[in-house]
Amino acid sequence: MLQIFSDLAGWLTFDLMGLEPNTKLADAIHFFIEDTTKIFALLLLMIYGIALVRASLNVERVRDYLAGKNRFVGYVMGSGFGAVTPFCSCSSIPVFLGFTSAGIPVGITMAFLITSPLINEVAVLLLVSLLGWQFTVIYVLVGMSVGMLAGAFLDTIRAERWLQSFAAKALEQGKAQASHDNSESMTSTSMTLTERHEFAKGETLEIFGRVWKWVIIGVGLGAALHGFVPDGWIEAHLGDGQWWSVPAAVLIGIPLYSNATGVIPIMESLITNGLPVGTTLAFCMATVAASFPEFILLKQVMQWRLLAIVFAILLISFTLIGWIFNAIGPLL
């Protein structure tokens, strides 16, 4: 199936454009066309399929369900909900506000917010094809663990006191409302197949319209790395598993912005060019979940102290994850 995209890229690059094989420009263009068409096709199919399943999902009911659970279960479910929703870091912010307004504790909400951009169904599928099931399962477990541990820590230090005043007020009002509504059941309206299709089509077009440009940017960067970076350049500059290469990769990734889908081609190119798996993973996690656009939006609901704490948690987590995967990578 995936061979179709390689054949299409070969026809466009070598036959239609007339580029010579085994040149840097031809390799970069072939990589760009193949990965862009493959990711776009997977995006459309996977988002539509997941949207069909989620067509009758009542978000308000999910919020109430999470608010009524104990904290540990809440962290697991918040992180799990983040893992199955196709949101990038910036598009997760409105859901974060909705959870806060519903009275869900900040830690559970942050478990969702951190996990959501790191894991999605398309990224998982592409990771399986790139690195195999074993690595992908570990990646998913690590991503969810980061979200859950961060959420638990933020609840422990009572992070809600550092929300902006309007967000803190909404949280308190939401808690008060939830305490009165816990005994009330909420049912979702049954949808016909046609309604599910229309919902799935609308969500597919909306999400695709929001992320396609980031896929092109991500694949473009991957193509540049794949076609034009000399062999060994990345390894020479970020090191061959040296301890400092991981925090350096995290810092380099922060100014960039991509979603979990768009960053996969970059990951593929970095690994192909000799960068250790842990260093690559740390760079990609920083690009996806610790980008400047996300923190600009979070500043609207968080005071600087809480924003700095969240930022530090992410940097430390990604660095530790990079070191761990560099250690166990050769064993996978």
Side-chain angles (χ1 to χ4, degrees):
M1 177 71 178
L2 296 180
Q3 184 62 35
I4 296 175
F5 302 106
S6 180
D7 293 341
L8 174 63
W11 178 75
L12 290 173
T13 304
F14 306 124
D15 296 336
L16 189 62
M17 298 182 186
L19 297 178
E20 290 294 328
N22 300 321
T23 62
K24 292 186 179 298
L25 178 60
D27 287 345
I29 292 178
H30 185 280
F31 180 93
F32 178 81
I33 295 173
E34 178 181 358
D35 275 48
T36 300
T37 54
K38 177 174 64 178
I39 291 173
F40 281 169
L42 290 173
L43 269 175
L44 293 171
L45 289 174
M46 294 296 292
I47 294 174
Y48 180 83
I50 294 296
L52 277 179
V53 176
R54 294 173 49 240
S56 298
L57 178 64
N58 190 317
V59 177
E60 296 292 338
R61 189 175 185 179
V62 172
R63 293 174 186 172
D64 286 353
Y65 189 72
L66 287 175
K69 295 295 180 181
N70 66 58
R71 289 301 172 87
F72 177 75
V73 176
Y75 300 141
V76 174
M77 297 191 67
S79 181
F81 184 59
V84 300
T85 50
F87 299 130
C88 64
S89 57
C90 290
S91 58
S92 298
I93 305 300
V95 183
F96 171 87
L97 291 173
F99 277 22
T100 301
S101 299
I104 296 176
V106 171
I108 296 177
T109 304
M110 287 304 301
F112 160 81
L113 185 70
I114 292 174
T115 305
S116 183
L118 290 176
I119 305 171
N120 67 49
E121 64 278 3
V122 180
V124 168
L125 185 63
L126 294 176
L127 275 176
V128 169
S129 65
L130 176 61
L131 296 172
W133 279 106
Q134 187 178 18
F135 181 93
T136 303
V137 170
I138 296 176
Y139 172 80
V140 170
L141 292 176
V142 167
M144 293 183 63
S145 297
V146 169
M148 290 186 288
L149 291 174
F153 175 75
L154 290 170
D155 271 344
T156 300
I157 65 173
R158 296 190 299 116
E160 63 271 11
R161 55 187 165 155
W162 296 314
L163 291 173
Q164 296 287 6
S165 57
F166 82 94
K169 183 178 180 180
L171 177 62
E172 291 303 317
Q173 291 176 342
K175 288 180 179 178
Q177 183 65 35
S179 65
H180 293 292
D181 293 343
N182 276 340
S183 61
E184 299 181 5
S185 61
M186 298 184 64
T187 57
S188 58
T189 303
S190 178
M191 300 178 68
T192 66
L193 182 60
T194 301
E195 290 172 334
R196 287 174 181 268
H197 165 71
E198 291 300 323
F199 173 85
K201 183 177 71 172
E203 184 160 294
T204 300
L205 293 176
E206 178 186 354
I207 295 174
F208 186 83
R210 188 169 61 236
V211 305
W212 68 267
K213 56 183 175 294
W214 301 114
V215 172
I216 290 179
I217 292 173
V219 175
L221 290 172
L225 291 171
H226 185 83
F228 293 102
V229 175
D231 293 339
W233 186 92
I234 297 178
E235 182 177 352
H237 285 76
L238 286 182
D240 187 14
Q242 294 94 330
W243 70 268
W244 52 265
S245 64
V246 175
V250 171
L251 293 175
I252 292 173
I254 291 171
L256 305 176
Y257 171 61
S258 181
N259 54 52
T261 304
V263 84
I264 298 300
I266 302 175
M267 180 184 294
E268 182 179 4
S269 290
L270 291 173
I271 293 175
T272 301
N273 278 275
L275 201 65
V277 171
T279 308
T280 302
L281 189 59
F283 168 80
C284 293
M285 281 183 154
T287 302
V288 170
S291 63
F292 284 158
E294 179 180 13
F295 280 92
I296 291 172
L297 290 177
L298 282 178
K299 179 61 181 67
Q300 310 307 309
V301 295
M302 295 181 181
Q303 298 179 22
W304 281 112
R305 182 178 297 182
L306 179 55
L307 199 63
I309 291 173
V310 172
F311 190 68
I313 289 173
L314 292 176
L315 294 188
I316 293 171
S317 298
F318 299 158
T319 300
L320 291 176
I321 289 170
W323 285 336
I324 291 171
F325 272 92
N326 274 351
I328 69 174
L331 305 177
L332 296 179

